[in-house]
Amino acid sequence: GEVGYDGITYLNPNAGVYILEFTSDGLLPFALTIQISVGYPFQLDVCNCETCVRRDEDNVCMEELPYPSDEVTVLRDVLVQLLDAGGDWVRNKWDQARNVTARLEFTVDTKGNRIDYNATELGLLK
């Protein structure tokens, strides 16, 4: 006899080797090894600086080293990476140019007050 497994699906898999084991009582198991490679760009990530950490509760990237206030405050370098659906770095696998923009969404002052901005007020950050 035979049993068909049609449409086995991995949701957002990381690149790597996966082993599927098929078993049935009284029979020798069979293992099927598959390899998933880095996929097409799916998301952006900027949480790769030395002082950046992800908050556990919402996965938001936070830079832990504060910036001193000054007339002009220049942010440290931000490296934007393309990741596939599994969160793996795409590197240069997909040779295409991307236009990545940044805008200020909101600030929180020292008293905890949130101030929302829209892109037309500040324009794009350089």
Side-chain angles (χ1 to χ4, degrees), residues 2-3 21 33 36 56 62 83 114:
E2 63 184 32
V3 174
E21 185 174 68
T33 301
I36 295 181
D56 290 334
M62 303 288 294
L83 305 181
R114 178 178 165 144

Side-chain angles (χ1 to χ4, degrees), residues 4 23 28 30 33 36 45 53 72 91 113 117:
T23 62
L28 292 174
F30 179 80
T33 301
I36 295 181
D45 186 58
V53 294
V72 175
R91 301 183 196 279
N113 299 315
Y117 295 91

Side-chain angles (χ1 to χ4, degrees), residues 6-102:
D6 188 25
I8 295 174
T9 305
Y10 289 96
L11 300 176
N12 302 327
N14 290 98
V17 174
Y18 292 77
I19 300 172
L20 294 171
E21 185 174 68
F22 298 88
T23 62
S24 182
D25 289 341
L27 300 176
L28 292 174
F30 179 80
L32 174 65
T33 301
I34 63 169
Q35 182 171 349
I36 295 181
S37 64
V38 173
Y40 189 75
F42 179 77
Q43 58 191 330
L44 297 175
D45 186 58
V46 294
C47 204
N48 47 35
C49 68
E50 292 179 16
T51 57
C52 293
V53 294
R54 290 194 191 281
R55 287 193 309 218
D56 290 334
E57 62 270 15
D58 58 9
N59 208 33
V60 169
C61 183
M62 303 288 294
E63 187 168 358
E64 291 189 313
L65 187 61
Y67 290 89
S69 178
D70 203 347
E71 279 185 65
V72 175
T73 301
V74 179
L75 300 182
R76 292 177 274 281
D77 290 343
V78 176
L79 177 64
V80 179
Q81 293 181 320
L82 292 173
L83 305 181
D84 68 6
D88 293 305
W89 182 28
V90 173
R91 301 183 196 279
N92 295 327
K93 181 174 181 178
W94 304 97
D95 188 23
Q96 61 183 177
R98 293 276 177 172
N99 183 25
V100 177
T101 59

